[in-house]
Amino acid sequence: MHISHIPFTLPPIIYHLLEGKNTKNLLPGACWVWFLSLRQVLDFHHPHQLKEGLEGFSLDLPDQPETLEQILVDCRDTLKYGVKTAHPRFFNQLSSGLDLIGLAGEWLTSTANTNMFTYEVSPVFILMEEILLRKMQSIVGWSEDEGDGIFCPGGTISNLYSILVARYHFYPEVKTKGMAALPQLVLFTSEHGHYSVKKSAAVLGIGSENVVVVKCDERRAQTPSVTLLQGLAPFYVNATAGTTVYGAFDPLIAIAEICHRHTLWMHVDAAWGGGLLMSKRHRMKLQGIERACSVTWNPHKMMAVPLQCSVILVKKKGLLQECNQQGAEYLFQMDKPYDVSYDTGDKSIQCGRHVDAFKLWLMWKAKGSEGFGSQVNKCLENAEYLYDQLRRRTDFELVLSSKPEHSNVCFWYIPPSLRNVPPGPDRNSRLHQVAPQIKARMMETGTVLIGYQPLGSKVNFFRCVFSNPATQQEDIDFLLEEIARLGSDL
Amino acid sequence: MHISHIPFTLPPIIYHLLEGKNTKNLLPGACWVWFLSLRQVLDFHHPHQLKEGLEGFSLDLPDQPETLEQILVDCRDTLKYGVKTAHPRFFNQLSSGLDLIGLAGEWLTSTANTNMFTYEVSPVFILMEEILLRKMQSIVGWSEDEGDGIFCPGGTISNLYSILVARYHFYPEVKTKGMAALPQLVLFTSEHGHYSVKKSAAVLGIGSENVVVVKCDERRAQTPSVTLLQGLAPFYVNATAGTTVYGAFDPLIAIAEICHRHTLWMHVDAAWGGGLLMSKRHRMKLQGIERACSVTWNPHKMMAVPLQCSVILVKKKGLLQECNQQGAEYLFQMDKPYDVSYDTGDKSIQCGRHVDAFKLWLMWKAKGSEGFGSQVNKCLENAEYLYDQLRRRTDFELVLSSKPEHSNVCFWYIPPSLRNVPPGPDRNSRLHQVAPQIKARMMETGTVLIGYQPLGSKVNFFRCVFSNPATQQEDIDFLLEEIARLGSDL
């Protein structure tokens, strides 16, 4: 085996070994995607079934070591009863796919087994993080002399950081004195914004009721009304670039204007939409993001980097460090022989921090910025294809009639029994049952996986999202046929 | 290659391929440790050197894809210029080593590339997490009908959770109303406790000045004085089981008594010391931990699980869920076909959450509880060996004269020029320079790595910690000889 084949052949090797097959004639690269496409997306079992132990797969923890043979059976069964998120027919989550270079990056990261707190123990990874953050800041549109950031364990923590540094920026005394020293803070997000804003407000001691939820029109946030600002201390607005369900983009320029006028911190939650900045064709959907004070961007979503890879970017340099540093002497000694400004661990709300930068760095090397752009374009083309198919069919109904902005496409399946029922509460309450019933059957058959939810006054509908560049048009055709098949008797 | 060799041979294969060697005659297992022992711990370069690009290793991100050959050179160089934390002579951090089964677990986790929010996308991993948490709770000493918990991105976040749920337990209105609705909260930790308690108090809006720092005697926390409690609202005490520098255990039973008397939340930060619970010989050092309301325990430290693997255990069932849930409908639908109490994602302050449970589960299968116990015993034997060597030598001085409780051993090297200088401020200020100078030379030679810091009135001293079971007595002998060699002209 030549070195150049490692990142391509290792995953199929694992699979073949686990299946007991010969590895000699493996084709590199395409194998992995190919074999996944032949398999089920999942092999569903209820919690009690897995806990009882299936065919020698026991989850219990022993006092004595088990044999190596048993360990390998355990590994095989863990994969077998899991969900194949890399399957081209897995449409259930914003993160999907399995980039082979990204996977190789994650394997190398595990092998290096180090921590992001100091340059001393992570010289290369710390620099890669800095270079990636700088690149992402310039893509957002910030100048060379502004911009800071850190990799975080997920988009919710990235959003938490944004509120944390915004609060510290306006009220630095909060760090030592706490909220008792502050006026009653209020922040804004939209009704389609991610729940992490409320969750973070609760964690930070601001209180979830002090999050003012701005109404949306059919698709996106209306600009927050200034009359809401009286009598309290508003300080922060979260604008969403790529909402979770609709994939909609809030009006960033209008929100930037309001934030400027009222001296509010403008955060853009581009966890899902940030990837579109990589595409020349789609990046104008985020126009205005350069005016944000902070940005959340999850490469593990639209850029298909393996989980977890999320970033918080902060325009004001040094703020993260000032806000979070506690200067522990056992870790951040000032008398080290190198430039200790590279000991970035005290910028973080964590102490130990997993290396999430390397896999993104390696993928960037392997694809180039342009490769990420094409990948994003392909996912959005898939969304348009699905949208076109849905418009053509009479057994499906689109939730939003206009073309998708991101790769989210939302729709109802209308089963035979509802096709002639007039719109109204009766049809709605029956339609509300359809998606959960089909989803339950889908999990049993395991051929495809897609999510559903209600939103506002809209009853349960399917949300299809594309972030796996391995998905082809035939997978999309299959999805619709399979939903129709599973719901044909409803 | 037979299936049973996978977890053992893959890391050496990667190494050999990267070095261009033949893989045919590889010995499984021991190879990895063996090859590491032959290599340097690090090959130090300053940030500007790495950023300028060394022998074709450029950190810059391209627009166009690079060749696969270049990607592989990049991988090799990333490992080359990194730090070998698995090296038996890496004593720099509480986490070290590289367990091969743990590594295999991490590789499988990356291959599965899924997320911990719902049973729907992580059926097996969610159950493994539950079973591990249950096991760890029973080892802590909690009964079957109490105990909850979650895997977190590091010990600092685990400690943050403990304060978060304690606050919610006493003042549930904080979730919606924020700190404005609460009295002035105060919490306690010791001067040797981890800085994460102050960091978390800042994040949570309590304020770092409202952390009362309890004095320590030479080694461990004195019990907090009740006179400190007047006029404010004390609610939480952090007791440390295994302090970062000395590895000391706070008097848990006395602290439990005080917490009981004053209705305070007792948290035990056993991030570092928790591993000793696995050893029949050492677990009595944590007596009283069963009375804690919450416990932080990092298997990635003393149990040598690959980074990151940290747990917060909470005695009161349901509290994590109540404290953190926001019930997002797109993710946590109630009309799913399975028991949705297994959708544990809303217990978390994250949304997406990396799978950290599997590698620990797999290691537990492979070692059994007893295997972890022996591993811990071996590390503490290494500490005793070092302690004995230091007592015997005249060129070293112990910081604490009594035997180590954990695997931390703290000492000064006394260079020739200081051996006849009487104790006093002059000697202290010169001794303070010794460890940083030796450490700087150590980083240049790259033969061994150990940390240092001052603490309280004690000037810079080395702290050796053992968590890598691959370390042998000869590595310890080497450490002392190397320090003496590097400092012989000081």
Side-chain angles (χ1 to χ4, degrees), chain A residues 3-4 8 17 32 45-47 50-51 58-66 68 71-72 78 81 83 85 92-93 97-98 103 106-108 110-114 117 119-121 123-125 127-128 130-132 153 156 167 175-180 184 194-195 199 202-210 244 306-308 324 328-331 333 335 337 342 346 348-354 358 361 364-370 436 439 452-453 460, chain B residues 3-4 8 17 32 45-47 50-51 58-66 68 71-72 75 78 81 83 85 92-93 97 103 106-108 110-114 117 119-121 123-125 127-128 130-132 153 156 167 175-180 184 194-195 199 202-210 244 306-308 324 328-331 333 335 337 342 346 348-354 358 361 364-370 436 439 452-453 460:
Chain A
I3 181 171
S4 66
F8 296 100
L17 287 173
W32 181 236
H45 291 79
H46 284 281
L50 283 172
K51 284 166 99 171
S58 160
L59 296 174
D60 295 336
L61 301 166
D63 287 336
Q64 303 289 335
E66 291 192 349
L68 190 55
I71 298 297
L72 289 156
T78 299
Y81 299 116
V83 176
T85 59
N92 211 67
Q93 242 69 38
L98 188 64
L103 181 64
E106 194 69 337
W107 286 18
L108 187 147
S110 323
T111 308
N113 197 28
T114 194
F117 26 63
Y119 183 82
E120 190 175 324
V121 295
V124 185
F125 298 136
L127 295 180
M128 287 171 174
E130 186 200 26
I131 285 163
L132 282 164
T156 290
R167 180 174 71 176
K175 181 176 175 180
T176 51
K177 309 270 180 221
M179 291 289 288
Q184 180 66 62
H194 193 260
Y195 71 98
K199 188 165 265 201
V203 170
L204 298 171
I206 295 171
S208 57
E209 284 179 5
N210 296 310
T244 312
L307 289 159
Q308 216 161 38
N324 292 319
E329 281 185 316
Y330 78 94
L331 199 52
Q333 304 94 332
D335 47 10
Y342 287 95
D346 220 10
S348 168
I349 61 168
Q350 303 178 263
C351 171
R353 190 159 59 93
H354 189 260
F358 179 68
W361 182 88
W364 212 306
K365 283 281 190 187
K367 288 179 202 295
S369 311
E370 296 190 359
K439 173 73 177 262
Y452 71 87
Q453 69 288 299
N460 276 327
Chain B
I3 182 170
S4 66
F8 296 101
L17 288 174
W32 181 236
H45 290 80
H46 285 279
L50 284 172
K51 283 165 100 172
S58 160
L59 297 173
D60 296 336
L61 301 166
D63 287 336
Q64 302 289 336
E66 291 192 349
L68 190 56
I71 297 297
L72 289 156
C75 285
T78 299
Y81 298 116
V83 176
T85 59
N92 210 67
Q93 242 69 40
L103 182 63
E106 194 68 337
W107 286 17
L108 187 147
S110 323
T111 310
N113 195 30
T114 195
F117 27 62
Y119 183 83
E120 189 175 324
V121 294
V124 184
F125 297 135
L127 294 179
M128 287 172 174
E130 185 199 27
I131 284 163
L132 282 164
T156 290
R167 178 174 73 176
K175 181 175 175 180
T176 51
K177 309 271 181 219
M179 291 290 287
Q184 181 65 63
H194 193 262
Y195 71 97
K199 189 164 264 199
V203 170
L204 298 171
I206 295 170
S208 57
E209 283 179 6
N210 295 310
T244 312
L307 288 159
Q308 208 160 47
N324 292 319
E329 280 185 316
Y330 79 94
L331 200 52
Q333 304 93 332
D335 46 10
Y342 286 95
D346 220 9
S348 169
I349 62 167
Q350 304 177 262
C351 170
R353 189 159 59 94
H354 189 260
F358 179 67
W361 181 88
W364 212 308
K365 283 280 189 187
K367 288 179 203 294
S369 311
E370 296 189 0
K439 173 72 177 263
Y452 72 88
Q453 68 288 299
N460 275 327

Side-chain angles (χ1 to χ4, degrees), chain A residues 320-474:
Chain A
L320 273 167
Q321 179 80 13
E322 283 169 44
C323 176
N324 292 319
Q325 77 178 343
Q326 293 289 338
E329 281 185 316
Y330 78 94
L331 199 52
F332 306 112
Q333 304 94 332
M334 301 308 289
D335 47 10
K336 287 181 180 175
Y338 59 84
D339 177 357
V340 293
S341 72
Y342 287 95
D343 286 357
T344 52
D346 220 10
K347 279 161 80 165
S348 168
I349 61 168
Q350 303 178 263
C351 171
R353 190 159 59 93
H354 189 260
V355 179
D356 293 331
F358 179 68
K359 56 196 165 191
L360 173 58
W361 182 88
L362 197 67
M363 282 174 69
W364 212 306
K365 283 281 190 187
K367 288 179 202 295
S369 311
E370 296 190 359
F372 279 121
S374 322
Q375 197 170 298
V376 166
N377 290 346
K378 164 126 197 243
C379 292
L380 268 73
E381 282 159 20
N382 276 340
E384 283 204 37
Y385 178 80
L386 172 57
Y387 170 78
D388 289 340
Q389 299 307 307
L390 288 166
R391 289 221 309 183
R392 238 176 259 164
R393 294 181 69 137
T394 53
D395 48 350
F396 288 89
E397 210 172 279
L398 282 158
V399 173
L400 301 175
S401 54
S402 53
K403 256 177 58 168
E405 295 184 349
H406 201 309
S407 81
N408 310 47
V409 183
C410 296
F411 58 89
W412 290 281
Y413 170 68
I414 313 296
S417 69
L418 281 181
R419 282 182 204 156
N420 296 315
V421 179
D426 171 52
R427 184 178 186 267
N428 274 346
S429 79
R430 286 164 67 190
L431 188 56
H432 190 59
Q433 316 296 324
V434 172
Q437 280 179 287
I438 292 177
K439 173 73 177 262
R441 292 172 179 186
M442 194 178 267
M443 290 176 71
E444 288 293 332
T445 63
T447 46
V448 65
L449 213 60
I450 181 175
Y452 71 87
Q453 69 288 299
L455 187 65
S457 63
K458 304 216 157 67
V459 299
N460 276 327
F461 56 86
F462 290 112
R463 177 202 67 172
C464 192
V465 279
F466 299 95
S467 58
N468 183 354
T471 297
Q472 306 296 333
Q473 291 188 354
E474 65 197 56

Side-chain angles (χ1 to χ4, degrees), chain B residues 116-178:
Chain B
M116 289 296 279
F117 27 62
T118 59
Y119 183 83
E120 189 175 324
V121 294
S122 278
V124 184
F125 297 135
I126 292 262
L127 294 179
M128 287 172 174
E129 180 177 59
E130 185 199 27
I131 284 163
L132 282 164
L133 290 168
R134 184 64 232 134
K135 184 80 173 181
M136 293 170 87
Q137 287 151 14
S138 82
I139 290 169
V140 162
W142 295 345
S143 71
E144 271 290 339
D145 53 347
E146 54 193 10
D148 200 344
I150 197 162
F151 279 67
C152 310
T156 290
I157 301 291
S158 296
N159 283 344
L160 182 145
Y161 266 108
S162 73
I163 305 174
L164 180 68
V165 294
R167 178 174 73 176
Y168 179 79
H169 170 73
F170 290 115
Y171 305 99
E173 63 275 26
V174 71
K175 181 175 175 180
T176 51
K177 309 271 181 219

Side-chain angles (χ1 to χ4, degrees), chain A residues 328-333 335, chain B residues 244-246 399 410-412 432 435-436 451-455 458-464:
Chain A
E329 281 185 316
Y330 78 94
L331 199 52
F332 306 112
Q333 304 94 332
D335 47 10
Chain B
T244 312
V245 178
Y246 288 157
V399 174
C410 296
F411 59 89
W412 290 282
H432 190 58
Y452 72 88
Q453 68 288 299
L455 188 64
K458 304 216 158 65
V459 299
N460 275 327
F461 56 86
F462 289 112
R463 177 203 65 171
C464 193

Side-chain angles (χ1 to χ4, degrees), chain A residues 41-57:
Chain A
V41 180
L42 79 164
D43 179 5
F44 183 79
H45 291 79
H46 284 281
H48 68 90
Q49 293 172 312
L50 283 172
K51 284 166 99 171
E52 284 158 10
L54 291 166
E55 296 162 48
F57 181 41

Side-chain angles (χ1 to χ4, degrees), chain A residues 33-270:
Chain A
V33 172
W34 164 80
F35 104 76
L36 271 174
S37 68
L38 296 180
R39 290 171 68 85
Q40 285 189 305
V41 180
L42 79 164
D43 179 5
F44 183 79
H45 291 79
H46 284 281
H48 68 90
Q49 293 172 312
L50 283 172
K51 284 166 99 171
E52 284 158 10
L54 291 166
E55 296 162 48
F57 181 41
S58 160
L59 296 174
D60 295 336
L61 301 166
D63 287 336
Q64 303 289 335
E66 291 192 349
T67 63
L68 190 55
E69 280 63 37
Q70 182 60 45
I71 298 297
L72 289 156
V73 169
D74 292 341
C75 284
R76 190 193 62 200
D77 287 350
T78 299
L79 287 174
K80 175 169 157 55
Y81 299 116
V83 176
K84 314 297 175 295
T85 59
H87 198 292
R89 295 177 181 171
F90 175 85
F91 305 106
N92 211 67
Q93 242 69 38
L94 303 184
S95 301
S96 64
L98 188 64
D99 186 276
L100 291 173
I101 297 283
L103 181 64
E106 194 69 337
W107 286 18
L108 187 147
T109 301
S110 323
T111 308
N113 197 28
T114 194
N115 215 318
M116 290 296 280
F117 26 63
T118 59
Y119 183 82
E120 190 175 324
V121 295
S122 279
V124 185
F125 298 136
I126 292 262
L127 295 180
M128 287 171 174
E129 179 177 60
E130 186 200 26
I131 285 163
L132 282 164
L133 290 169
R134 183 63 235 136
K135 185 80 173 181
M136 293 169 86
Q137 286 151 17
S138 81
I139 291 170
V140 161
W142 294 346
S143 71
E144 271 291 337
D145 53 346
E146 54 193 11
D148 201 344
I150 198 163
F151 279 68
C152 310
T156 290
I157 300 292
S158 296
N159 284 343
L160 183 144
Y161 266 106
S162 73
I163 305 174
L164 180 69
V165 294
R167 180 174 71 176
Y168 178 79
H169 170 72
F170 289 114
Y171 306 99
E173 64 274 26
V174 71
K175 181 176 175 180
T176 51
K177 309 270 180 221
M179 291 289 288
L182 272 56
Q184 180 66 62
L185 299 186
V186 167
L187 58 155
F188 297 81
T189 190
S190 86
E191 55 177 332
H192 294 175
H194 193 260
Y195 71 98
S196 51
V197 173
K198 278 197 173 178
K199 188 165 265 201
S200 299
V203 170
L204 298 171
I206 295 171
S208 57
E209 284 179 5
N210 296 310
V211 178
V212 178
V213 178
V214 177
K215 286 269 162 217
C216 287
D217 59 23
E218 191 183 41
R219 198 184 269 267
R220 68 183 59 75
Q222 293 166 357
T223 47
S225 160
V226 285
T227 57
L228 282 166
L229 311 181
Q230 286 167 358
L232 299 159
F235 74 110
Y236 170 103
V237 176
N238 171 55
T240 308
T243 56
T244 312
V245 178
Y246 288 157
F249 292 83
D250 283 348
L252 300 186
I253 295 171
I255 292 171
E257 282 303 313
I258 287 180
C259 289
H260 177 70
R261 204 175 319 138
H262 298 279
T263 320
L264 302 173
W265 184 278
M266 178 184 176
H267 175 66
V268 176
D269 177 0

